[in-house]
Amino acid sequence: MYNHEETEMKALLIDVMENKVETVDVNGLEDYYKLIHCTTIDIVNREIKGKRYDIICDDEGTFSDDPLISAIDDLGRAMLVGNLIVCGEADEEGNLTALTDDDIKHIKENIQSMGTSRHPEGHCMICQMEY
């Protein structure tokens, strides 16, 4: 479904380990592994408050001893865990696309610092995510 052409694109990194959100330029699998801190990725398509994005995540993140929740739905249920790279939806050839400045603004407006029972200190989390 997805091609992994080696072309640089603007994306948004939600780094729950460092509790920061930043715009990054990514260029293929090596960058994904490095930024997410994993060896197996998955690419999922999710809606964030009315707009769809492709999200690169750790395919085995839920198997960790203490996964950090990185995205929740409107009822507070966990949707994704670990670091995330959010990019535009894939084009007709299956290539991931860059985010626009408006996309980045929209995503950032839906990120909050949220605590959980295991991590009450809180960290950045995408809110209002849907399938």
Side-chain angles (χ1 to χ4, degrees):
M1 179 161 133
Y2 292 97
N3 293 325
H4 297 286
E5 269 189 13
E6 299 289 322
T7 57
E8 193 167 276
M9 71 175 168
K10 185 191 311 187
L12 194 65
L13 172 66
I14 290 74
D15 187 335
V16 294
M17 296 170 190
E18 299 292 327
N19 195 27
K20 64 182 179 179
V21 177
E22 62 183 325
T23 302
V24 293
D25 290 315
V26 292
N27 188 10
L29 291 171
E30 293 293 322
D31 286 349
Y32 305 160
Y33 295 142
K34 182 179 77 175
L35 292 169
I36 297 174
H37 303 287
C38 71
T39 57
T40 309
I41 64 159
D42 193 9
I43 302 173
V44 298
N45 184 275
R46 298 286 186 271
E47 183 177 303
I48 301 171
K49 196 143 188 192
K51 185 153 176 30
R52 296 201 75 81
Y53 300 94
D54 284 335
I55 301 170
I56 305 163
C57 57
D58 182 351
D59 190 42
E60 299 175 343
T62 57
F63 299 128
S64 95
D65 290 336
D66 190 17
L68 288 171
I69 297 170
S70 49
I72 59 173
D73 67 10
D74 61 342
L75 297 175
R77 295 178 294 215
M79 298 283 290
L80 297 170
V81 300
N83 288 358
L84 305 175
I85 300 170
V86 183
C87 44
E89 286 191 283
D91 63 18
E92 47 285 339
E93 284 91 39
N95 297 308
L96 296 173
T97 61
L99 293 174
T100 66
D101 290 339
D102 286 342
D103 291 332
I104 291 169
K105 181 180 179 211
H106 178 258
I107 297 163
K108 284 183 173 183
E109 287 171 350
N110 290 287
I111 295 175
Q112 297 179 25
S113 181
M114 305 286 287
T116 64
S117 59
R118 295 182 95 178
H119 299 279
E121 69 281 1
H123 59 273
C124 53
M125 207 178 288
I126 299 174
C127 302
Q128 305 290 321
M129 183 177 280
E130 297 179 34
Y131 284 105

